[in-house]
Amino acid sequence: MFAKCILLALLFVCFNTHAQTTDLLQSIVHQLSQHTAIRASFTQQRQTPALTQPQTSSGQLLFVTGHGMLWQIQQPYQDTLALTDKRTVRIDTDGRMQPVRNERGVGQISQMLQGMLTGQLDEVKRQFDVQASGSTQQWNLHFTPRQSRVAQVLRDIQLDGGAYLQRIRIDMQDGTQTDIQMTDTRDAGTLGAQEKHALGLP
């Protein structure tokens, strides 16, 4: 009888924890989806097993709900990428766009971020197991890929934030780690003509 009581108590705790995690995740997604277009400054560090020192870059990003992300590296070199659900293109200084072949896992990561920032939680859960901790003021989300072919390449993703997304950490199975810190996150305001063109906006 005692063992049954312990088992029931454990099941209750597990169920209650799962419910709390689900509620927190839904609250976080709802909070993020309130911002239809945001800008931020970023600093990215990329560490690979072959390098003794991480590669560091910084710049600006623009995210527009339902359309994609414009990623502008400014230091130590200049490079602009537009990532949408259909394609990834590189934009040169004259505004010309060249297709870029996605590395394995990049498409899934981009789709996951799109889903999180647009409130499409069901789509995210089809691709990843998600664990949430913290509060809506300061939260952490941990994503583990469900599909075996993706899991062979991508180990996991962690997101940290509050009112806005503040940090993305991506760990690949080959030991490569990418850590992106975002600051000065804000509503995007009016988009320029080139930004609209890159993201397929009218």
Side-chain angles (χ1 to χ4, degrees):
M1 184 65 181
F2 178 75
K4 288 183 178 180
C5 290
I6 293 295
L7 179 59
L8 287 172
L10 288 172
L11 287 173
F12 174 77
V13 169
C14 290
F15 176 79
N16 195 42
T17 301
H18 175 73
Q20 289 174 350
T21 297
T22 300
D23 289 345
L24 176 59
L25 180 58
Q26 290 175 338
S27 296
I28 293 167
V29 170
H30 175 73
Q31 182 169 274
L32 292 175
S33 65
Q34 299 307 299
H35 308 283
T36 57
I38 61 170
R39 297 183 190 273
S41 302
F42 73 85
T43 299
Q44 173 180 283
Q45 284 195 334
R46 188 170 184 268
Q47 179 70 60
T48 67
L51 298 175
T52 56
Q53 296 293 328
Q55 296 174 315
T56 301
S57 58
S58 62
Q60 302 290 320
L61 66 86
L62 166 68
F63 177 85
V64 181
T65 297
H67 294 278
M69 183 183 299
L70 200 60
W71 185 264
Q72 297 175 293
I73 298 173
Q74 297 170 332
Q75 296 291 337
Y77 56 89
Q78 294 189 349
D79 193 22
T80 300
L81 295 175
L83 298 92
T84 70
D85 59 347
K86 296 180 180 179
R87 62 177 185 168
T88 298
V89 297
R90 175 169 279 110
I91 304 171
D92 65 20
T93 53
D94 295 322
R96 292 188 295 264
M97 295 187 290
Q98 297 291 331
V100 176
R101 184 178 64 85
N102 276 337
E103 297 178 6
R104 292 180 298 170
V106 171
Q108 285 76 14
I109 294 169
S110 179
Q111 289 174 15
M112 181 272 290
L113 290 173
Q114 284 276 353
M116 284 296 303
L117 297 175
T118 57
Q120 298 172 2
L121 190 54
D122 289 342
E123 180 60 31
V124 173
K125 286 185 172 181
R126 275 195 287 270
Q127 299 288 334
F128 295 89
D129 288 320
V130 189
Q131 294 180 336
S133 60
S135 68
T136 52
Q137 288 74 41
Q138 194 63 51
W139 46 262
N140 172 268
L141 299 178
H142 182 262
F143 299 81
T144 306
R146 284 177 172 269
Q147 298 177 3
S148 58
R149 64 182 182 83
V150 179
Q152 290 175 0
V153 179
L154 174 64
R155 181 175 299 166
D156 59 24
I157 302 170
Q158 290 192 62
L159 305 183
D160 296 291
Y164 294 100
L165 179 62
Q166 298 168 349
R167 181 187 181 210
I168 304 171
R169 174 168 170 162
I170 304 166
D171 288 292
M172 309 299 284
Q173 293 290 5
D174 66 359
T176 299
Q177 296 179 340
T178 302
D179 197 323
I180 304 167
Q181 300 276 353
M182 282 161 281
T183 58
D184 191 28
T185 307
R186 61 209 182 273
D187 288 320
T190 304
L191 272 61
Q194 185 174 332
E195 292 174 331
K196 290 180 179 179
H197 179 63
L199 296 176
L201 287 161

